[in-house]
Amino acid sequence: MKHSEKQGRSLRILTYNVHRWLGTDRQISPGRIAEVIASCDPDVVALQEVRVGRVRAGEIDQAAAVASTLGMDLHFQPTIRILGEQYGIAVLSRHSSRLIRSERLPTQSAKPSFEKRSALWVAVEVDGQTIQVVNAHLSLRSGERRTQAAALVGPDWMGHPDCADPAVLLGDFNAPPYSRSYRMLANRLRDAQLSNSHGEPQPTFHTRAPVLRLDHVFVTKSIEVLDAGPVRNRLTRIASDHFPLLAELRVRKRAKASIEGHAREGELL
């Protein structure tokens, strides 16, 4: 088999907690977030803490405006509804895409929660190859976060037969690498920053003093990581409290339709 038959085109995928469009300068600016995203030139974007609504009367919806500016399709899952506005997670794609699943993740609280932690699964078509993309934003509480991480690698999400390799799980997991919830994910999928040959993994939070690696991109076996790391520049330091995490991936064209090794010890690798 020729090398060209084994390799597909590169895919740029971005995860970004946009902090309700609120920058560290206390300015609400969806346009500035759109500028950050455009500068990264991604094919697919996973956003967390997305505010849906209007900054001023007569303006169009903020999330829709960002997607329109970027020329991307928008899929949105609300996690908070308050005073006629919604906040949540989103997937944007410049390629043909379709929504597969959009649901809340498990909670350990018997009381109604202010923020309904959720995941959003979108299938993206790139050069005849279907790539499964799951965006998630997990709880700040460690026990609940572990429950949600277990759900993500379980049969409803990454372990679902339709979430076949090649697949990407990404988002703000509120889980540094030493946490149990991170290890639960990393034991089943590959952390793109660890597969990056260009240096040590870098923290993504806080933009004023980055010390925590909370945002992650995880990939399945057929995906090669060409590069992965936070995007740090003057604009990203003020646009949000998280740095965007950009991964350049390559999907082998002849990836199997089912997850290789799925029947072997339940591994997603």
Side-chain angles (χ1 to χ4, degrees), residues 184-199:
M184 193 176 298
L185 300 171
N187 286 341
R188 304 289 296 278
L189 298 150
R190 287 185 293 121
D191 181 341
Q193 281 214 70
L194 292 181
S195 300
N196 176 23
S197 61
H198 300 286

Side-chain angles (χ1 to χ4, degrees), residues 18-38:
V18 297
H19 197 225
R20 309 182 307 279
W21 320 119
L22 179 64
T24 55
D25 59 358
R26 309 306 298 171
Q27 299 297 311
I28 295 175
S29 179
R32 184 165 57 187
I33 293 294
E35 185 180 347
V36 169
I37 296 172

Side-chain angles (χ1 to χ4, degrees), residues 240-261:
S240 174
D241 58 351
H242 286 244
F243 285 109
L245 176 62
L246 178 65
E248 185 170 4
L249 312 173
R250 179 178 289 136
V251 182
R252 297 180 181 90
K253 289 187 175 182
R254 298 198 174 186
K256 293 183 179 179
S258 61
I259 299 174
E260 186 175 319

Side-chain angles (χ1 to χ4, degrees), residues 174-188:
N174 282 308
Y178 52 78
S179 67
R180 290 173 62 186
S181 49
Y182 168 87
R183 292 197 301 269
M184 193 176 298
L185 300 171
N187 286 341
R188 304 289 296 278

Side-chain angles (χ1 to χ4, degrees), residues 212-224:
L212 293 173
R213 195 159 73 90
L214 303 180
D215 307 89
H216 305 287
V217 175
F218 295 100
V219 300
T220 52
K221 185 175 182 179
S222 73
I223 298 178
E224 177 188 0

Side-chain angles (χ1 to χ4, degrees), residues 29-267:
S29 179
R32 184 165 57 187
I33 293 294
E35 185 180 347
V36 169
I37 296 172
S39 71
C40 297
D41 192 27
D43 295 279
V44 180
V45 183
L47 300 179
Q48 305 84 42
E49 293 192 24
V50 175
R51 179 181 178 183
V52 173
R54 295 165 174 81
V55 176
R56 300 176 186 84
E59 293 184 348
I60 65 172
D61 175 89
Q62 297 163 70
V66 169
S68 177
T69 298
L70 296 167
M72 292 178 138
D73 293 336
L74 170 67
H75 304 276
F76 176 74
Q77 164 67 19
T79 59
I80 300 174
R81 291 183 173 92
I82 185 171
L83 299 176
E85 289 201 2
Q86 296 182 92
Y87 301 82
I89 59 176
V91 171
L92 284 66
S93 174
R94 67 169 49 161
H95 303 279
S96 175
S97 61
R98 66 184 187 279
L99 177 65
I100 304 297
R101 185 186 295 269
S102 178
E103 293 179 4
R104 296 176 183 174
L105 293 170
T107 178
Q108 292 183 333
S109 175
K111 300 178 181 179
S113 56
F114 176 68
E115 184 171 7
K116 314 293 192 298
R117 300 292 181 168
S118 301
L120 181 60
W121 171 6
V122 173
V124 181
E125 302 291 333
V126 182
D127 292 346
Q129 173 77 70
T130 302
I131 302 165
Q132 310 300 330
V133 177
V134 177
N135 176 20
H137 188 194
L138 303 192
S139 175
L140 292 170
R141 294 182 289 184
S142 60
E144 188 165 80
R145 190 166 59 242
R146 289 194 298 272
T147 300
Q148 292 165 355
L152 284 173
V153 295
D156 290 337
W157 297 96
M158 301 304 291
H160 193 284
D162 291 339
C163 197
D165 185 23
V168 180
L169 171 65
L170 73 171
D172 176 3
F173 297 95
N174 282 308
Y178 52 78
S179 67
R180 290 173 62 186
S181 49
Y182 168 87
R183 292 197 301 269
M184 193 176 298
L185 300 171
N187 286 341
R188 304 289 296 278
L189 298 150
R190 287 185 293 121
D191 181 341
Q193 281 214 70
L194 292 181
S195 300
N196 176 23
S197 61
H198 300 286
E200 292 296 317
Q202 297 297 311
T204 57
F205 179 84
H206 186 288
T207 51
R208 286 183 174 173
V211 294
L212 293 173
R213 195 159 73 90
L214 303 180
D215 307 89
H216 305 287
V217 175
F218 295 100
V219 300
T220 52
K221 185 175 182 179
S222 73
I223 298 178
E224 177 188 0
V225 179
L226 304 179
D227 197 6
V231 179
R232 295 181 180 174
N233 54 46
R234 181 195 60 80
L235 189 60
T236 61
R237 287 186 178 94
I238 62 170
S240 174
D241 58 351
H242 286 244
F243 285 109
L245 176 62
L246 178 65
E248 185 170 4
L249 312 173
R250 179 178 289 136
V251 182
R252 297 180 181 90
K253 289 187 175 182
R254 298 198 174 186
K256 293 183 179 179
S258 61
I259 299 174
E260 186 175 319
H262 181 60
R264 185 175 63 251
E265 301 178 353
E267 293 181 350

